[in-house]
Amino acid sequence: MDLQLSGRVAVVTGASKGIGLAITRTLAEEGAHVVAVSRTRSDEWPDKVVHVAADLMDPEAPARVVARAVEEFGGVDILVNNAGGPPPGVTLPRMGFMTPDDDDWRAMFEFNLFSAVRMIRAAVPVMVERGGGSIVNVSSTLSKQPGATNVDYGAAKAALSHVGKAVSEEYGPQGVRVNTVTPGAVLTDWWTKEGGAAEVFAGLAGSDKESVISEVAPAMMKLATGRLIYPQEIADAVALLVSPRSGSTTGAEFVIDGGQLKEL
């Protein structure tokens, strides 16, 4: 299926690994001009990808990113706010409401909410000038399933989902679509890296890293598929959502969680 993305200009944040890497490669393979935003370059990007080194904890970074996209390609048609998760230097999961202090909450919201808000603020005027565009925000099932683990992260992602619906309502008449993709547990280095979530849960469960990834975590989250999600599965959904083939889809949320969430 032709997604009609050839020649369109896409900005992808958090583009160097995991979900962001899969999205960057997929959009580039579909013919889009991709501006990949990350603190470090990835050797796994297609050659034509333009890297903009940026730390999105810097409030000035989003405007510089959009300006670079305009300089390189004349505008922005697609924005994927994928950057998120643990702020630099932070390890999740973090257990208990009392564990994160004020600075932890500020950093979590800065990275998972405010960076996306600023990216949207920078990109929307450029999109409107070009006659429209598409934004996808990457959230988390923790935004919909509150609990004692990663409370600050879930709260930030819930706020991001709210922002997406609000912006879609305001700018839909001007041709800007905004949707949210809500992944469950995705098999990225958030889980697999040394000291990552799999090792943390292994310590709590008296298990080992490999067993957590293959058995313990899917069982704990009651995943109907019995496995964690592959990054490409998220990327495929994002590519369809930013495509003109999804031209009537806005203000929507797409949950890709392996059957984790059970509520109607």
Side-chain angles (χ1 to χ4, degrees):
M1 179 172 64
D2 180 9
L3 295 180
Q4 302 172 15
L5 294 176
S6 181
R8 294 181 184 268
V9 182
V11 174
V12 181
T13 68
S16 64
K17 57 188 177 180
I19 295 171
L21 173 60
I23 292 170
T24 297
R25 290 193 299 206
T26 299
L27 296 182
E29 289 166 1
E30 291 292 330
H33 301 297
V34 182
V35 175
V37 184
S38 60
R39 286 176 294 160
T40 58
R41 174 180 290 276
S42 171
D43 293 334
E44 298 181 64
W45 290 327
D47 291 339
K48 64 179 182 178
V49 168
V50 173
H51 179 222
V52 177
D55 179 355
L56 293 178
M57 299 286 277
D58 175 5
E60 305 301 321
R64 292 198 299 268
V65 168
V66 171
R68 178 69 183 281
V70 172
E71 177 186 346
E72 289 282 343
F73 301 114
V76 175
D77 303 300
I78 295 163
L79 169 63
V80 182
N81 280 314
N82 169 71
V90 173
T91 297
L92 296 181
R94 191 155 51 192
M95 309 300 180
F97 172 75
M98 302 298 288
T99 301
D101 60 19
D102 283 3
D103 287 340
D104 294 324
W105 277 87
R106 290 188 190 99
M108 192 64 73
F109 270 68
E110 190 71 46
F111 193 47
N112 286 278
L113 176 64
F114 299 148
S115 66
V117 167
R118 294 176 185 126
M119 286 299 311
I120 294 169
R121 188 184 294 150
V124 162
V126 177
M127 290 180 173
V128 169
E129 185 177 349
R130 285 166 72 85
S134 178
I135 299 171
V136 170
N137 298 321
V138 179
S139 184
S140 165
T141 50
L142 287 178
S143 70
K144 304 174 72 65
Q145 195 172 59
T149 302
N150 302 329
V151 177
D152 48 347
Y153 174 70
K157 288 299 193 182
L160 179 63
S161 297
H162 178 101
V163 167
K165 285 186 176 289
V167 177
S168 74
E169 175 71 15
E170 181 174 359
Y171 286 97
Q174 298 177 67
V176 178
R177 297 185 299 109
V178 188
N179 294 291
T180 299
V181 168
T182 300
V186 181
L187 189 57
T188 66
D189 76 340
W190 192 90
W191 284 89
T192 61
K193 70 182 179 182
E194 184 176 352
E199 290 191 0
V200 173
F201 281 121
L204 294 172
S207 183
D208 60 83
K209 177 179 176 179
E210 290 71 24
S211 296
V212 166
I213 291 172
S214 63
E215 299 174 17
V216 176
M220 178 179 64
M221 291 180 283
K222 299 179 180 179
L223 302 187
T225 58
R227 64 168 175 83
L228 302 189
I229 301 151
Y230 302 138
Q232 188 61 50
E233 294 173 310
I234 309 300
D236 290 342
V238 170
L240 181 59
L241 281 173
V242 300
S243 164
R245 287 183 174 271
S246 297
S248 292
T249 304
T250 190
E253 180 178 16
F254 288 78
V255 176
I256 306 170
D257 68 346
Q260 175 189 0
L261 299 178
K262 312 300 183 186
E263 70 273 13
L264 296 176

